[in-house]
Amino acid sequence: MKTSIATVSVSGNLREKLEAIAAAGFSAIEIFEQDFIADEGTPRDVGRIVRDHGLEIALFQPFRDFEGLPGALRTKAFDRAERKFDLMQELGTDLVLFCSSVHPQALGGIDRAAEDFAELGERAAKRGIRVGYEALAWGTHVNDHRDAWEIVRRADHPNIGLIVDSFHTLGRKIDPNTIRRIPGDKIFFVQLADAPMIEMDLLYWSRHFRNMPGEGDLAVTDFMRAVVATGYNGPVSLEIFNDQFRQGNPRTVARDGYRSLINLMDDVRRNEPEVAMPLPNLPPKVEVTGTSFIEFASRGDDAEKLRKQLEVLGFAKTGQHVDKKVALWQQGDIRVIINEQPHDFAGSAYNMHGTCVCDFGLDVGSAADTVTRAKALGATMFSQPLSEGQIDIPVIRGLGGSLLHFLDQSEKLAPVWETEFAPVEADTSGVGLKRVDHVAQTMTYDDMLSWSLFYTSLFDMKQSPMFDVTDPDGLVRSRAMEAKSGKFRITLNGAETHRTLAGAFLADSFGAPVQHIAMATDDIFATARKLADRGFASLPISGNYYDDLAARFDLPAEQLAQMQELNILYDRDDQGEFFQIYSQSIPGGLFVEVLERRAGYAGYGAPNAPMRIAAQKRLARAKDMPRN
Ligand SMILES: O=C(O)c1ccc(O)c(O)c1
Ligand SMILES: [Mg+2]
C-alpha cells in the first residue's frame, strides 16, 4: 500500500516538509501548488528533490473552478488547465485534483460538467495525465461524492476519475457506504482526514480543524472500508488542514500521520477480512491488564523524602535490587520503584526533571507483540546496557521521553521480580491501597492529540471526549483513556499556559510526564483514617465545598461530616458513587490521589477538579509566605 500525505499537512518550507515526510516513512506526497510556488526551485528541481527523498508525487493539487463555466470563462479555464499540465509534466506527476467549483458564474448542470470533463480528458490523455474530480463539501453545485461520481460516469473517459475525501463525505453526514457502488478503477485517489465533531461552517471546519484519522470523531474507518471494498488499491493519502499542525513540529506531525494511517489500515483490514490488501500483518491492539510498576528517578534528600511519603501512604520496602541502587516498595498490587542510579536512564531523567516518574511497567498478554506493533506504528525504541543477570524487558519511549516497559507471563519475563530483587522483610499490612487506578500525565495542549493517538493506536483503549478543567488561572484540557478491560486508565492533561497548576508543573519539571498517581482502596473511610494516623497530610478542602455537596446530593449528615473531616471529595454518576482524597505535594511537585469507586462509577471526579486545583494553589501560596 502506498502511503501518502499532502504537503499542506505539515509545517515548514517545502524542503523541511519533505524531510519530515520522508523520515516518517511515507512513500508519496500530494504536492500543494502553493508549497511548490513558494519554493525557489524550478519545477524540474522540485520534482528531483522530492524523488531524492525517496518520495513520489502521487498528486498535484488543487485545480479550482473548472467545470460549468460559460463562454470566455470556459475557454480560459481550459487554458489554465493546459498550463498546469505543462507544470505537472516538469514536476513528474500524472495525476491532478480538480475540486468542485465555487465560481460565482458556474452554471451547474450535471451534463454540462460531464462534457467539460470529457473534453478535458481528451486533452489530458494527449499528455498521459489523469484528472480526479473531488466534491468539496461547500461546492456551489457539486458538494456530494455521489454527484461528482455521476459527472465522472457521464464524462466516460479513461483519463477522468473520482477523488474521494473522507472529510467532505463524512463532514456532510453522507453515508460512506454509498462509495461501495463506485467501481474501484474509477476512484483515482483517496484522501483521508478526521475532525472533531463541532457544529460550524463546513469550509471553516475543514480548513482549520481537520486532524489525523483516529484523532477526531468521524467514521474514517467505515469510509476507508467502503473504499477498499470497491477494489481500489491506489495510494492512501492524508490531507490535513489544521492550525495547530501548521505551527507544530513537522517531524512529530508527519510521524503521527504515518502512525494514524498504519493504525487505520490495520483496522480496515481486520474489519474487511474478505478484501485482499497489501498490508503487513500487525499484532492486534494490545489489551493492557494492569500497571505492573511505577518507577521514580530520585536521589539524596529527595529520595529520602519520597521514602517517607511512601511509608506514610502505607507502602513497605519489600525488595532491594541485586545490583543497583534501586528499591522495590509494595502495597496491595501496587509496585513502586525508587531508582537512585546516578548514570543510567533514571540518572539522566533525575538530572533533567528532578524527582519524577521516569518509567512505567504495563502488564500485557505478549510483551514481544506489543513492541512489534509499537515499532510498526513508528514508536521510538530504547535500549541501555544490561547489568549482570538483569532481564531484558521490552521497552519503548513514552511521553516526555519516559519509558514504557511491557511485562507478560512468559518464561523470560514472569520471574523478573524474584530474579532482580532480593526480598526485604517488611510489614505489608498497609492502609488498604489495592491497585493503581490511573496515572495523570501532563503535556502541552499541542501535544495532546499526539499522545492520545499514541495510546489508542497501540493499546485497545477507549477515550472520553476532551473537556475543560477550570484552573483559577486558565483552562486545562483533559481527556481520560481507559483500557477495554477497565484495568488500565490514564488521564491526559494539556496545559496552555504556565500559570495553571498543570502548566507550572510542566515548566518547573522541564516536561516530567506524570503529575499525579491515583490509587484505589475498597474502603475510603478506613483508608483515610489509617492515613491520618500515619501523619498523611491531605489537601484541605473548603467548607463551601461541603455545603454545596449537601445541597446537590442527599448524603447522610454523619457521612458528610466525616468526609469534611477527612477532606474527602465526592461525585456520582448513573452507575455509582466516587470518593477521592488528594495528598499535598510530594517531591518533584507530584501528588497522590486515593480513591474509591463504588458500583461501577466510571469517571474521575471531574466536577471536583476546579476546587481541588484552587485548594492546591492556595496551599502552595501559604507555604511560600514568609513566616514572620
Ligand atoms: O479547502 C480546500 O479548498 C480544499 C482543496 C483541496 C482539497 O482536496 C480539499 O479537500 C479542500
Ligand atoms: Mg480533499
Side-chain angles (χ1 to χ4, degrees), residues 226-249:
V227 171
V228 299
T230 67
Y232 174 82
N233 61 6
V236 181
S237 189
L238 297 170
E239 190 199 31
I240 319 289
F241 306 92
N242 179 298
D243 295 356
Q244 239 174 284
F245 298 173
R246 276 183 203 273
Q247 62 180 25
N249 177 333

Side-chain angles (χ1 to χ4, degrees), residues 399 438-445 447-448 467 469 476-480 490-496 502-503 506 513 515-516 591 609 612-613:
L399 178 65
H438 66 273
V439 165
Q441 300 206 297
T442 299
M443 62 209 69
T444 63
Y445 176 62
D447 283 340
M448 273 191 92
F467 62 93
V469 174
V476 173
R477 295 278 167 85
S478 189
R479 151 174 279 172
I490 40 181
T491 58
L492 305 186
N493 299 287
E496 292 197 75
L506 212 53
Q515 193 183 4
H516 95 249
F591 55 95
R612 183 260 296 172
I613 294 168

Side-chain angles (χ1 to χ4, degrees), residues 139-202:
T140 312
H141 304 293
V142 176
N143 46 43
D144 182 321
H145 69 251
R146 292 166 294 192
D147 295 332
W149 162 236
E150 185 55 23
I151 289 168
V152 167
R153 199 179 67 80
R154 292 188 190 203
D156 192 22
H157 194 285
N159 291 57
I160 302 293
L162 183 70
I163 292 181
V164 286
D165 177 326
S166 61
F167 181 87
H168 298 300
T169 295
L170 301 170
R172 265 195 167 273
K173 303 191 170 65
I174 298 165
D175 179 0
N177 287 314
T178 54
I179 293 172
R180 291 179 193 254
R181 303 171 195 162
I182 302 167
D185 62 351
K186 292 305 284 183
I187 301 177
F188 281 3
F189 201 76
V190 173
Q191 297 178 317
L192 297 174
D194 205 334
M197 204 34 101
I198 325 173
E199 282 300 323
M200 68 165 83
D201 171 68
L202 280 167

Side-chain angles (χ1 to χ4, degrees), residues 193-210:
D194 205 334
M197 204 34 101
I198 325 173
E199 282 300 323
M200 68 165 83
D201 171 68
L202 280 167
L203 183 146
Y204 196 79
W205 187 25
S206 174
R207 297 246 173 107
H208 302 275
F209 292 93
R210 290 188 181 205

Side-chain angles (χ1 to χ4, degrees), residues 36 40 114 131 135 146 154 163 168 216 220 224 227 240 282 289 313 327 367 382 460 487 502:
F36 155 73
E40 76 263 28
V131 174
R146 292 166 294 192
R154 292 188 190 203
I163 292 181
H168 298 300
V220 186
M224 195 59 210
V227 171
I240 319 289
L282 297 189
T289 53
L313 284 164
F382 174 84
D460 197 8
K487 290 182 179 154

Side-chain angles (χ1 to χ4, degrees), residues 59-90:
L59 179 79
F60 174 78
Q61 82 136 320
F63 191 100
R64 299 184 190 275
D65 296 336
F66 166 74
E67 77 280 20
L69 289 169
L73 285 172
R74 182 175 189 274
T75 311
K76 177 72 187 150
F78 277 91
D79 290 348
R80 218 164 28 94
E82 294 281 2
R83 297 279 289 274
K84 296 304 166 187
F85 290 169
D86 295 340
L87 166 59
M88 287 171 63
Q89 288 183 312
E90 302 225 344

